Amino acid sequence: MAEAHPVQMAAHAAREACLRIYPLVLVCLVWELVGRSGLVRPLFLPPLSQVIGQTGELLREGEIIEPLVVSLYRAFAGLVLAVVLGVTIGLVMARSQLIGRFLDPLVSFGFPAPKIAFVPIFILWFGIDHLSKILLVAFTCVFPMIVATHAGALTVGRAVLWSAKAMGTPELTMLTRVILPACLPQIFSGIRVTVPVAMITAFTAEMVAGGGGIGASLMFAQRFFQTPAVFVYIIVMLLSGLLCDRLLLAARSHLLRWEQAEG
Amino acid sequence: MLLQLLPFGLLLGLWQASVSFGLVDRTFLPGVDSVTLAFLDLLRGGELLHNLAASMFRAFAGLAIGVALGLAMATSRGADRFFGPLVATTYSLPKTALVPLFILWFGVGDVTNILTVVLACLLPIVVSTYHGVKAVPEVILWSARAMGTPRTQMLGRVLLPASLSATLAGIRIALGFCFVLTISAEMIAAKTGVGKLIFLYGESGSYAHMFAGILAVVGIAFAADRGLVGLTNYLLRWHETVAVGGAHG
């Protein structure tokens, strides 16, 4: 590979960054201009600057952080439940033919089901507060986790399994010390796919059923035609999702350092 | 086939037994018998079919527009340059969050619903088609060019068929999204649709009807997924690695 000149490299990086950012800047600019021009009523599209002003106001009143914490708590509590359950079920399905055969049709039936349709059932059983949301998130996320773990566990190298067995590893240790670490990358990919799903489910359930959280705040703002606040909550949801994904990627490269060696 | 149905039979049996023996309160979990009756009742009244038709129209119209737009975006450099970063920034946004905004702009109804579905379907299709097109081996492009394929036909005759399996994988994800989005949008605000129907029954306490509606939706989502898998296997019968099947792959 030819050595690139540092200045050239910097210029290239700057160009790439500009190319990535310009559509966003353009959209923000058009938004602000259209909002100010009076072509549309501010009720439909308040200018960006007004939305930013509203953000400060809502922040001071504690109407962003508090509901966001509630929503994130629900999303991540549900996610943790789903990961624990999903990984366990996935591993067991891969190790035991009988259980695998039994659960496989159920999983492939449940996987494509639109879980949000179960909101009324969860409200009926668990009320409208934390519990029903956490369980709905878990119910939604458990299927992708099972599938990811199961697929990962099935691809563990036979040689690895044989050597472990030859060294007299008991079945339970086999699961926790050999198969689980070997399919960690797949589990992690599963978690990465599932984190946005968990957040989306929590937000949506709150929008549909109320019971606090940022989704409920959004619906509240819309019902009272506080359009700037509607935009603020949408942007907050977007940013919290982006941030979680970034954090997850950082965690992955830290936790799975050993994976790089294999390519 | 019969073995695959066994777990479902067992589950239904367990459900009915726990209701019949009074282990759970009938108000919280209506038995299989009453749900079946409610389902037949909904079918006879035409209520279910009417609302399902409205929902399916929204879901599939959104999916179709999403697929077309996604393909256009994934294969056009200019469109990708502009929309790529926008799609990447907004992917973590629950598209349902846009429903309140769309209601403000377009009112309650088909437009709001379909637009939400379109936006949700775009990302999986764009991403998978894009990677699919990128992964087409250069050799294929070279041979096509050497055999005199015109530039205008490269896309339709070479690139898209060669990346079909990736595109179909994206469409499968989008198919799941289109049901979720249609139903949640209907639950948030709608006049018709099966999501609305389920919610109404839940609020009025007709839980057997609510369960029947939910099970109908789950059944349709499953059938659509299976149908797409079948179509994929048919379309890709020439492909060396047809690896779409049950959860086992």
Side-chain angles (χ1 to χ4, degrees):
Chain A
M1 200 193 286
E3 285 285 319
H5 197 272
V7 175
Q8 272 177 347
M9 269 169 63
H12 183 73
R15 216 187 84 124
E16 283 294 305
C18 282
L19 272 177
R20 287 177 65 83
I21 281 181
Y22 99 93
L24 292 176
V25 175
L26 205 65
V27 166
C28 289
L29 217 72
V30 170
W31 177 0
E32 177 71 24
L33 287 179
V34 170
R36 277 175 181 271
S37 69
L39 284 174
V40 288
R41 288 164 60 194
L43 176 67
F44 294 129
L45 189 74
L48 182 60
S49 47
Q50 200 187 333
V51 172
I52 294 171
Q54 182 77 34
T55 313
E57 204 171 299
L58 287 175
L59 265 177
R60 268 194 302 280
E61 290 164 7
E63 288 188 34
I64 292 181
I65 304 293
E66 275 168 43
L68 186 63
V69 169
V70 169
S71 297
L72 291 181
Y73 162 66
R74 288 166 177 170
F76 283 94
L79 183 73
V80 169
L81 255 176
V83 169
V84 172
L85 270 175
V87 168
T88 314
I89 296 175
L91 286 180
V92 170
M93 276 174 75
R95 286 307 285 173
S96 152
Q97 273 246 321
L98 190 73
I99 300 178
R101 280 273 175 81
F102 182 79
L103 287 181
D104 194 54
L106 292 179
V107 171
S108 39
F109 186 71
F111 188 76
K115 259 70 82 182
I116 198 77
F118 287 80
V119 166
I121 297 187
F122 279 73
I123 296 177
L124 172 66
W125 287 349
F126 310 110
I128 63 161
D129 207 27
H130 295 318
L131 187 60
S132 70
K133 268 109 190 170
I134 292 173
L135 291 179
L136 185 75
V137 171
F139 180 50
T140 312
C141 297
V142 79
F143 290 100
M145 285 315 300
I146 294 176
V147 172
T149 312
H150 187 213
L154 285 180
T155 54
V156 175
R158 212 160 279 182
V160 175
L161 296 182
W162 284 339
S163 4
K165 207 166 267 179
M167 286 188 260
T169 320
E171 179 61 28
L172 193 67
T173 321
M174 193 84 165
L175 273 181
T176 54
R177 297 287 304 271
V178 182
I179 300 177
L180 182 63
C183 55
L184 267 187
Q186 276 94 337
I187 293 177
F188 218 96
S189 305
I191 294 180
R192 192 175 174 212
V193 174
T194 320
V195 164
V197 176
M199 296 177 72
I200 289 172
T201 309
F203 291 150
T204 309
E206 287 164 357
M207 290 178 69
V208 172
I214 203 111
S217 302
L218 171 66
M219 286 314 290
F220 211 68
Q222 189 253 338
R223 222 157 277 162
F224 291 98
F225 294 104
Q226 295 163 338
T227 317
V230 169
F231 277 100
V232 171
Y233 287 124
I234 291 177
I235 293 172
V236 167
M237 286 181 185
L238 192 155
L239 290 182
S240 51
L242 273 184
L243 198 69
C244 283
D245 192 54
R246 281 293 133 81
L247 287 177
L248 210 64
L249 273 185
R252 185 204 165 102
S253 56
H254 181 74
L255 289 174
L256 297 180
R257 295 183 298 273
W258 50 270
E259 190 208 359
Q260 314 298 344
E262 292 169 28
Chain B
M1 190 62 205
L2 236 107
L3 262 175
Q4 291 201 324
L5 288 177
L6 187 72
F8 295 103
L10 223 60
L11 212 64
L12 286 178
L14 212 67
W15 173 3
Q16 181 60 35
S18 57
V19 176
S20 299
F21 295 124
L23 292 177
V24 287
D25 192 345
R26 259 183 187 274
T27 31
F28 284 106
L29 184 69
V32 181
D33 48 351
S34 36
V35 173
T36 314
L37 284 180
F39 181 71
L40 292 177
D41 181 42
L42 282 176
L43 270 186
R44 256 200 309 276
E47 216 168 350
L48 188 64
L49 292 182
H50 172 68
N51 283 297
L52 267 180
S55 299
M56 289 306 118
F57 165 67
R58 293 166 183 161
F60 287 114
L63 181 66
I65 300 173
V67 169
L69 269 179
L71 283 181
M73 271 172 68
T75 48
S76 139
R77 247 181 96 90
D80 179 60
R81 278 265 166 95
F82 183 77
F83 290 108
L86 292 181
V87 172
T89 322
T90 51
Y91 91 99
S92 64
L93 176 74
K95 302 302 177 293
T96 37
L98 296 172
V99 172
L101 200 61
F102 290 162
I103 293 175
L104 269 178
W105 289 348
F106 309 109
V108 173
D110 284 343
V111 179
T112 292
N113 214 314
I114 292 175
L115 202 59
T116 321
V117 176
V118 169
L119 287 178
C121 291
L122 270 184
L123 183 75
I125 291 164
V126 171
V127 171
S128 51
T129 308
Y130 185 75
H131 288 296
V133 170
K134 275 273 143 89
V136 173
E138 294 263 289
V139 184
I140 294 185
L141 299 184
W142 290 335
S143 348
R145 214 167 288 156
M147 285 189 259
T149 314
R151 272 192 97 74
T152 46
Q153 288 185 13
M154 277 303 253
L155 184 65
R157 304 217 22 200
V158 182
L159 282 175
L160 284 183
S163 59
L164 190 62
S165 88
T167 305
L168 284 167
I171 293 179
R172 192 174 175 198
I173 299 176
L175 182 71
F177 282 4
C178 83
F179 285 111
V180 174
L181 265 294
T182 306
I183 288 167
S184 25
E186 283 169 358
M187 283 181 162
I188 292 169
K191 295 190 190 86
T192 55
V194 72
K196 181 76 186 168
L197 192 73
I198 292 170
F199 219 70
L200 278 181
Y201 282 127
E203 278 182 343
S204 63
S206 338
Y207 295 126
H209 287 75
M210 177 180 92
F211 273 85
I214 293 173
L215 289 182
V217 169
V218 171
I220 287 179
F222 179 69
D225 188 60
R226 286 288 104 183
L228 188 68
V229 169
L231 184 72
T232 304
N233 289 337
Y234 172 74
L235 287 176
L236 293 179
R237 59 195 181 283
W238 50 273
H239 209 275
E240 291 141 19
T241 52
V242 180
V244 197
H248 275 303

